[in-house]
Amino acid sequence: INIFIRSRSSGLKQGMYLEVKTGGYVIKNAVEVPTNLLTRNNQLHVVRDATVHLVQVIPERFLDETVIVSGLDGKTTIISEQIGKPIQGTKIKPVKAQ
């Protein structure tokens, strides 16, 4: 992880070492998915019992081409490749990515 710190102190010079404590937090049940899978309403298409469902998620952090979301359990199957637009309630047969 790269962290860039701006110092207002004249005592800190380039090449010197600095000890810093930063704040952070743990995001429970988070997963990173391509940004294009997230709907405008912050939902993902998932599969439950061979049926397409829309599930509300919480976008925690947007990265270059992905987004970290929370709000899913560890057993949720996310539809990661779409042929057309998935419709909620449609029966499908999921296949594992190779």
Side-chain angles (χ1 to χ4, degrees):
I1 298 175
N2 291 324
I3 298 176
F4 298 92
I5 299 172
R6 180 175 294 154
S7 173
R8 294 188 176 114
S9 171
S10 61
L12 183 62
K13 305 291 183 198
Q14 186 173 354
M16 294 177 72
Y17 289 94
L18 177 69
E19 184 175 320
V20 178
K21 291 184 181 181
T22 63
Y25 58 96
V26 174
I27 304 171
K28 294 184 179 181
N29 295 326
V31 63
E32 186 174 354
V33 298
T35 306
N36 66 331
L37 297 182
L38 191 64
T39 69
R40 289 184 208 148
N41 298 324
N42 296 330
Q43 297 174 320
L44 289 175
H45 289 93
V46 301
V47 178
R48 288 191 186 140
D49 301 321
T51 305
V52 176
H53 295 274
L54 273 171
V55 175
Q56 192 72 38
V57 294
I58 302 165
E60 299 285 352
R61 178 166 301 236
F62 286 89
L63 305 171
D64 289 336
E65 296 179 9
T66 60
V67 58
I68 298 173
V69 298
S70 63
L72 299 172
D73 63 35
K75 297 180 181 179
T76 301
T77 301
I78 299 169
I79 297 176
S80 61
E81 293 189 30
Q82 301 174 3
I83 300 175
K85 183 176 179 175
I87 299 171
Q88 184 162 272
T90 302
K91 295 286 185 183
I92 63 170
K93 182 179 179 182
V95 294
K96 291 192 178 203
Q98 296 180 4

